[in-house]
Amino acid sequence: MSNSKDQQHHLEGEENKQSHSMGGCPGSRMMDFSKTEEKPGSSEGTRPSQLRQWPIQLHLVGPSAPYFQNADVLLAADCVAFTVGDFHKDYLAGKSLAIACPKLDEDQDVYQEKITALIDDAKINTLTVMTMEVPCCGGLLALAQAAAAKAKRKIPIKSIVVGLRGTINSEEWC
Amino acid sequence: MEKYLKAGIKSTIDSFPEVGRILEKHGIGCVPCTVGTCKLEDVVKIHALPPQTLAELMYFVEKAIHPDRKIPKPVINVAATPVKIASKTIRYSPPLKWLVDEHVWITRLLAVVPELTRAMRSSGKIDRDLVLKSVDFIRGYADRFHHMKEEEILFDYTDKNADIIKVIFQDHDKGRGFIRLVVEGLEKIDLDQVCINLENYRELLTEHIKKEDEVLYPFIDRDLTTKQIGEMFSRFNEVESKTSKDVPQKYLEFIVSIEKKFIQKKFMP
């Protein structure tokens, strides 16, 4: 290994060390997974999308939309679909979707009202809230629970927490 | 061995008591079951034991039934077997949790029964008012409110012909029979008949609730889809919305009052 490469490697190491040790917001902390070995699993063939509606962003969807009526709804944090390899097959299939970011999105009071309307007016069957493990993402579950507490109907709510490497850290009914 | 896997568990335990002890050691409490028609293979499947525990259990059971046979000890490659370590705390889906919470109220009445019967036996008199109120709770809350949710909703989501479901139905019928005898005892003013059947009901329901909380509900929960969980929860809500709000409240207040009379009093200085 040449000196310059050694130096580069050393600098990269320092950068990684800094990005991990300096703390700060875990939701925005830099991490690089590119050098990890390839995971087992098939990369061949294509999989159909399981999305059965448009739009999907929580500000854009309407609780009166036909695809929400009596549906099992998945409320996913924006980053979830990019993190879970088999998101469509394992989590989106059979569900109607809304996505949101509890950290960056504005007017989250509207989100709460919409979720309450989904429960009371669209009479959704269940609500699954899928978030990342970073602390700020917990806000989405809290928002959904506050909306459910305001609703007249009671429905089962499930929380699924996704690790940064796409693993499922927990899956439980609230 | 195939013959015993497909035989009712009670008859196998009666013939080979050691099998009962082995099952108990593995957390499978079939010994006190009054019906015992579940097949050994279903009993084992229902408990979803980790592969290594299951292999060991079957090895010991086979040894107990055929002590003269040379049965190879199971060798399990633990590293290659995805062993799911079962949590001691059972986590239920919301509709099953609902039923478990109702069990808590029923169990609270069952806890008072020995005190109630003891008090009646020592006074030599039937406390007609309390017995009637207890019967009303059992019929109105435990049976109509709770067992009906199981029989008319929950069991739609499983195989109603499965042995364990038949056992649950039999328990419900048997419980109703004990309560009929309690009422008959009241009419005849037969203290023994009232006390014995209240005690029989207590014994039956205590085992029954344990069976449901620890075995049946987790077994049903494992195969439920999210859609089914939502549907079942909604059907439970529908049933409750048809009942006047003060009905369950009336029963819960009765439990608090009967506990105050018998249990708290007992521990008060």
Side-chain angles (χ1 to χ4, degrees):
Chain A
M1 199 183 268
S2 68
N3 279 346
S4 62
K5 275 190 179 171
D6 279 344
Q7 201 172 11
Q8 195 186 344
H9 186 75
H10 172 74
L11 286 173
E12 278 172 5
E14 282 298 301
E15 188 177 87
N16 275 338
K17 213 188 289 173
Q18 279 182 17
S19 63
H20 282 86
S21 62
M22 281 178 70
C25 172
S28 346
R29 186 187 297 158
M30 188 190 74
M31 283 186 230
D32 183 357
F33 308 142
S34 61
K35 291 199 175 91
T36 50
E37 61 184 78
E38 209 171 299
K39 303 228 175 71
S42 169
S43 57
E44 288 172 16
T46 55
R47 287 207 177 117
S49 167
Q50 297 292 340
L51 186 66
R52 51 189 199 181
Q53 66 179 80
W54 191 263
I56 57 171
Q57 213 289 331
L58 189 49
H59 274 309
L60 302 179
V61 297
S64 59
Y67 46 76
F68 281 131
Q69 309 310 308
N70 308 109
D72 292 294
V73 173
L74 174 62
L75 174 62
D78 288 351
C79 305
V80 164
F82 298 99
T83 315
V84 179
D86 279 326
F87 175 77
H88 279 248
K89 176 174 78 72
D90 294 341
Y91 298 97
L92 181 57
K95 294 197 180 74
S96 298
L97 177 71
I99 62 166
C101 174
K103 181 168 182 167
L104 303 175
D105 294 354
E106 291 180 348
D107 298 330
Q108 295 195 18
D109 290 349
V110 178
Y111 281 173
Q112 194 169 316
E113 284 164 21
K114 276 198 181 176
I115 297 168
T116 305
L118 282 171
I119 297 171
D120 280 340
D121 304 335
K123 299 191 168 24
I124 61 171
N125 189 42
T126 56
L127 179 64
T128 301
V129 184
M130 215 167 166
T131 54
M132 298 300 302
E133 65 176 322
V134 294
C136 47
C137 227
L140 193 60
L141 177 63
L143 189 135
Q145 285 178 314
K150 277 195 177 172
K152 289 184 198 84
R153 287 177 72 240
K154 297 292 161 224
I155 57 159
I157 298 179
K158 184 188 258 188
S159 163
I160 302 176
V161 179
V162 178
L164 299 185
R165 310 291 298 273
T167 52
I168 300 301
N169 288 2
S170 65
E171 180 166 351
E172 56 195 33
W173 293 98
C174 301
Chain B
M1 191 58 195
E2 188 68 14
K3 177 181 144 193
Y4 295 105
L5 283 172
K6 302 218 177 287
I9 191 70
K10 196 168 172 57
S11 66
T12 306
I13 292 173
D14 286 346
S15 311
F16 307 97
E18 182 59 18
V19 171
R21 282 189 282 276
I22 294 165
L23 291 175
E24 274 193 336
K25 204 177 145 198
H26 287 81
I28 301 176
C30 288
V31 178
C33 178
T34 47
V35 186
T37 52
C38 296
K39 296 183 191 90
L40 174 60
E41 63 178 6
D42 291 339
V43 165
V44 170
K45 186 176 136 203
I46 249 171
H47 283 78
L49 298 171
Q52 187 170 15
T53 316
L54 176 61
E56 275 171 11
L57 169 76
M58 293 315 293
Y59 166 76
F60 288 123
V61 166
E62 198 170 351
K63 281 292 276 179
I65 294 174
H66 304 290
D68 303 332
R69 257 189 215 171
K70 276 191 179 172
I71 303 157
K73 257 199 161 182
V75 181
I76 304 288
N77 180 358
V78 181
T81 316
V83 177
K84 198 176 171 187
I85 297 177
S87 159
K88 277 192 176 174
T89 319
I90 302 168
R91 302 196 78 115
Y92 303 96
S93 66
L96 274 304
K97 173 79 170 59
W98 188 325
L99 297 176
V100 171
D101 289 344
E102 288 179 353
H103 278 168
V104 174
W105 288 96
I106 300 167
T107 304
R108 284 171 69 170
L109 175 79
L110 301 179
V112 174
V113 166
E115 302 300 327
L116 171 63
T117 53
R118 194 174 302 137
M120 290 195 294
R121 283 186 201 278
S122 62
S123 71
K125 272 196 272 177
I126 299 174
D127 189 334
R128 194 178 160 78
D129 180 51
L130 262 189
V131 173
L132 274 176
K133 280 181 178 159
S134 302
V135 166
D136 183 40
F137 174 88
I138 290 164
R139 285 182 167 167
Y141 187 85
D143 215 25
R144 205 165 308 130
F145 211 66
H146 176 76
H147 289 157
M148 285 303 164
K149 276 197 199 93
E150 292 179 334
E151 293 183 2
E152 289 174 13
I153 301 174
L154 175 70
F155 296 162
D156 283 353
Y157 296 87
T158 189
D159 175 10
K160 277 189 178 174
N161 294 316
D163 288 328
I164 186 156
I165 303 297
K166 285 182 194 160
V167 169
I168 296 296
F169 271 109
Q170 285 175 33
D171 281 355
H172 289 176
D173 285 343
K174 213 168 175 182
R176 286 169 194 140
F178 287 141
I179 296 308
R180 265 195 302 275
L181 290 172
V182 170
V183 174
E184 194 187 282
L186 274 179
E187 284 160 6
K188 293 193 307 198
I189 319 179
D190 184 334
L191 177 63
D192 263 353
Q193 183 170 336
V194 170
C195 290
I196 288 169
N197 286 291
L198 276 175
E199 282 153 5
N200 285 344
Y201 182 81
R202 177 185 173 274
E203 198 180 327
L204 173 81
L205 257 278
T206 305
E207 268 308 314
H208 176 81
I209 287 172
K210 187 173 154 59
K211 207 172 348 191
E212 290 189 332
D213 284 358
E214 294 177 12
V215 182
L216 181 69
Y217 291 173
F219 169 69
I220 293 178
D221 237 352
R222 276 204 298 273
D223 289 333
L224 289 175
T225 63
T226 299
K227 183 176 271 310
Q228 288 174 324
I229 285 168
E231 275 170 11
M232 198 193 302
F233 193 81
S234 159
R235 288 174 71 184
F236 282 2
N237 266 320
E238 212 174 295
V239 166
E240 295 234 339
S241 67
K242 284 178 190 158
T243 315
S244 163
K245 269 187 186 163
D246 20 321
V247 171
Q249 193 54 34
K250 175 189 90 174
Y251 290 127
L252 307 188
E253 281 168 11
F254 164 66
I255 294 297
V256 174
S257 72
I258 198 171
E259 277 177 339
K260 212 175 262 179
K261 185 174 168 82
F262 287 103
I263 297 185
Q264 289 175 15
K265 200 173 153 191
K266 190 177 159 190
F267 294 108
M268 288 222 321

